[in-house]
């Protein structure tokens, strides 16, 4: 065997040895499992609106927001810039409008939690002025017409000038709208004395130069 043939033989043997090592590492050697992190959400919607109707076809409530994320394994929803519109059962009475930066709900939207600072408003109706309230967090059960908060809450009725007729501050509240029961804890109420038209007129004239 010539020197050139011997060299080609060793080169071929080296290539086969390298190929064997690669095959062993890729197919025979045990592979390390790479831990996969499951996604937190499997669906995402922007500018969403969800509505619930009763058996008579009338609207019960509406939930809308800038973004809705559906959690994996059907664990519920997460909201951003959420707004809830709760229809009143009284004839011709305006609905309650609730808003919060964030929120969450279960899979069937039977329980909705508003977080990050909740603001509520109901327009004036009949002899009652507009109602406003605020709290840090709030849990709503729309289908049962119930709501509750364990955070300090401020509720007020406004007059036509946008000033509170009365203010009620409590450490927590529980509302059962079906039974017309509103319970508060550690309540502090304040009633503002109405200002007569004559006093308003005298005050405005005195303020003029």
């Amino acid at each position: 065997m010539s020197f050139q043939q011997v060299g080609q033989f060793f080169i071929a043997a080296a290539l086969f040895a390298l190929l064997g090592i690669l095959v062993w590492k890729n197919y025979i050697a045990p592979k390390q499992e790479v831990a996969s992190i499951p996604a937190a959400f499997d669906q995402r919607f922007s500018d969403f609106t969800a509505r619930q109707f009763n058996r008579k076809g009338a609207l019960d409530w509406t939930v809308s927001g800038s973004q809705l994320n559906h959690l994996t394994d059907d664990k519920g929803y997460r909201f951003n810039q959420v707004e809830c519109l709760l229809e009143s059962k009284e004839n011709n009475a305006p609905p309650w409008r609730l808003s919060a930066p964030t929120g969450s709900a279960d899979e069937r939207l039977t329980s909705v939690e508003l977080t990050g600072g909740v603001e509520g408003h109901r327009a004036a109706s009949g002899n009652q002025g507009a109602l406003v309230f605020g709290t840090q967090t709030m849990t709503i059960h729309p289908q049962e017409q119930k709501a509750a908060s364990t955070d300090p809450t401020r509720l007020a009725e406004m007059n036509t000038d946008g000033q509170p007729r009365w203010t009620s501050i409590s450490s927590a509240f529980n509302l059962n709208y079906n039974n017309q029961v509103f319970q508060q804890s550690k309540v502090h109420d304040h009633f503002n004395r109405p200002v007569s038209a004559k006093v308003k007129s005298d005050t405005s004239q005195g303020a003029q130069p």
Side-chain angles (χ1 to χ4, degrees), residues 5-21:
Q5 291 175 334
V6 173
Q8 292 176 351
F9 173 79
F10 280 107
I11 292 175
L15 291 176
F16 277 112
L18 179 60
L19 180 61
I21 293 174

Side-chain angles (χ1 to χ4, degrees), residues 163-201:
Q163 300 299 319
R165 292 176 177 172
W166 53 262
T167 303
S168 181
I169 300 175
S170 62
S171 62
F173 81 88
N174 195 308
L175 170 67
N176 188 324
Y177 192 68
N178 283 332
N179 297 336
Q180 296 292 299
V181 175
F182 182 65
Q183 298 175 320
Q184 296 173 283
S185 302
K186 298 180 181 179
V187 187
H188 176 74
D189 292 336
H190 179 75
F191 294 86
N192 294 324
R193 179 180 299 178
V195 180
S196 65
K198 183 178 183 304
V199 173
K200 289 184 179 180
S201 177

